Amino acid sequence: EVQLVESGGGLVQAGGSLRLSCAASGFTFDGYNIGWFRQVPGKGREGISCISSRISVPHYADSVKGRFTISTDNAKNTVYLQMNNLEPEDTAVYYCAADWGNYYCSNYELYEYWGQGTQVTVSS
């Protein structure tokens, strides 16, 4: 069974950094796209970054480009999201997700498997 578990969220001041982790079990990354999403109350989930098992170039939403970096450790079946220069607008619940069968990772509406989420709060 595919399972994804996020960790690493917490409280941080504006300008600070956090690294989120997504530990996967029940599958290997080969053939999957892994994405990071975030959600605030009253809004839908926003895809902010993803990486494909087939190509090396990741995708970033404009809102996080230059500040966030996605990476994988295949030996550990873990995906990371390094978040630098955090802003209060980054406050949200962050989710990782897996998408099977699509060549490109940035079709965020197609993700099927989801973690439970981890809260990130950035104070001004």
Side-chain angles (χ1 to χ4, degrees), residues 11-17 86-87 121-124:
L11 302 174
V12 65
Q13 290 183 308
S17 298
L86 284 161
E87 304 168 353
T121 302
V122 184
S123 62
S124 60

Side-chain angles (χ1 to χ4, degrees), residues 53-68:
S53 64
R54 298 175 178 85
I55 60 177
S56 61
V57 179
H59 176 265
Y60 299 98
D62 288 342
S63 58
V64 306
K65 192 176 299 182
R67 300 188 297 121
F68 292 10

Side-chain angles (χ1 to χ4, degrees), residues 27-33 53-54 74 77 100:
F27 73 105
T28 60
F29 292 148
D30 186 30
Y32 285 85
N33 302 312
S53 64
R54 298 175 178 85
N74 290 342
N77 248 19
W100 167 255

Side-chain angles (χ1 to χ4, degrees), residues 41-116:
K43 295 185 178 181
R45 292 183 184 182
E46 174 194 13
I48 57 172
S49 186
C50 64
I51 191 164
S52 173
S53 64
R54 298 175 178 85
I55 60 177
S56 61
V57 179
H59 176 265
Y60 299 98
D62 288 342
S63 58
V64 306
K65 192 176 299 182
R67 300 188 297 121
F68 292 10
T69 303
I70 190 170
S71 62
T72 63
D73 185 337
N74 290 342
K76 296 182 178 180
N77 248 19
T78 299
V79 182
Y80 303 98
L81 186 68
Q82 179 67 45
M83 306 187 296
N84 297 327
N85 195 24
L86 284 161
E87 304 168 353
E89 292 76 16
D90 296 316
T91 296
V93 178
Y94 283 71
Y95 300 86
C96 66
D99 162 35
W100 167 255
N102 291 290
Y103 188 83
Y104 296 104
C105 72
S106 56
N107 289 323
Y108 289 107
E109 71 276 11
L110 300 179
Y111 281 79
E112 182 176 4
Y113 304 102
W114 296 86
Q116 84 287 354

